[in-house]
Amino acid sequence: MRALIVVDVQNDFCEGGSLPVEGGARVAGDISALLHRWSQRGEDAPDYAHAVATQDHHVDPGAHWSAQPDFVESWPVHCRVGTEGVRFHPDLDPEPLDAVFRKGEHEAAYSGFEGAADGVPLADWLRERGVTEVDVCGLATDHCVRATALDAVAEGFSTRVLGGLCAGVAPETTEAALAQMREAGVTIA
């Protein structure tokens, strides 16, 4: 069985947010269209048993936030719990999602596999439902999508990244991330 993992399509990672990725709003709308086709189970619906999302969900992640970020280990304040930045982008309709896995309340967290929904880690949730294959999409290709896809492979899931439903921070780091994922056994679709 295959599941879709939508990674961090949140206001702070889209245009106008505190840590925007160019093309984030487009990705939000395109993923929403995919989710609607899936939930309506029409002829062109993707064959997913489940669809889930991850969410950066920071309360106080320590050195992950910085007034002088290096954009490698530290970042401007983003996805702070209780702000508009933590919410899904308005072009992404979360209604079809089966679960949302929040990550990083008190630490840096890049991979969706660091998150939990109702106390259940993502890998366990997927295994409990018989999922063996995952498609990963969202933001950003060179950070949280990369980390989620690499962890999916490490957890034993056959993993595919839907490149057209992702956006990266910079061309150079996105290409490096794609190469790293391919080397780890991720299929880039």
Side-chain angles (χ1 to χ4, degrees):
M1 282 200 293
R2 181 175 294 278
L4 177 68
I5 303 173
V6 179
V7 177
D8 298 359
V9 182
Q10 296 168 258
N11 286 328
D12 270 347
F13 297 137
C14 294
E15 295 85 350
S18 66
L19 202 50
V21 177
E22 185 177 331
R26 176 200 53 82
V27 165
D30 290 349
I31 292 172
S32 195
L34 175 73
L35 286 169
H36 281 263
R37 285 197 317 275
W38 170 70
S39 68
Q40 293 167 1
R41 306 289 197 262
E43 283 185 28
D44 69 336
D47 187 25
Y48 296 123
H50 299 281
V52 301
T54 68
Q55 227 178 10
D56 244 21
H57 198 252
H58 298 310
V59 174
D60 180 9
H64 183 61
W65 282 346
S66 174
Q68 288 84 37
D70 63 15
F71 296 95
V72 176
E73 298 293 327
S74 62
W75 308 89
V77 174
H78 62 278
C79 300
R80 183 193 300 259
V81 172
T83 68
E84 283 298 309
V86 76
R87 294 180 184 272
F88 288 120
H89 188 275
D91 289 346
L92 176 71
D93 179 5
E95 183 62 33
L97 297 170
D98 294 315
V100 176
F101 293 83
R102 293 180 170 157
K103 58 189 176 69
E105 286 189 358
H106 298 285
E107 61 198 0
Y110 296 92
S111 170
F113 287 88
E114 296 175 79
D118 297 323
V120 179
L122 177 56
D124 294 346
W125 191 96
L126 293 169
R127 284 191 190 101
E128 286 169 6
R129 286 153 182 82
V131 172
T132 57
E133 303 173 23
V134 296
D135 283 356
V136 181
C137 61
L139 304 173
T141 309
D142 37 354
H143 294 284
C144 296
V145 168
R146 178 190 61 81
T148 300
L150 292 174
D151 280 356
V153 167
E155 290 284 349
F157 297 99
S158 174
T159 306
R160 181 170 62 180
V161 168
L162 305 178
L165 296 178
C166 297
V169 173
E172 306 79 28
T173 53
T174 297
E175 285 305 316
L178 291 170
Q180 183 183 14
M181 288 187 281
R182 282 187 193 100
E183 187 174 305
V186 175
T187 300
I188 308 298

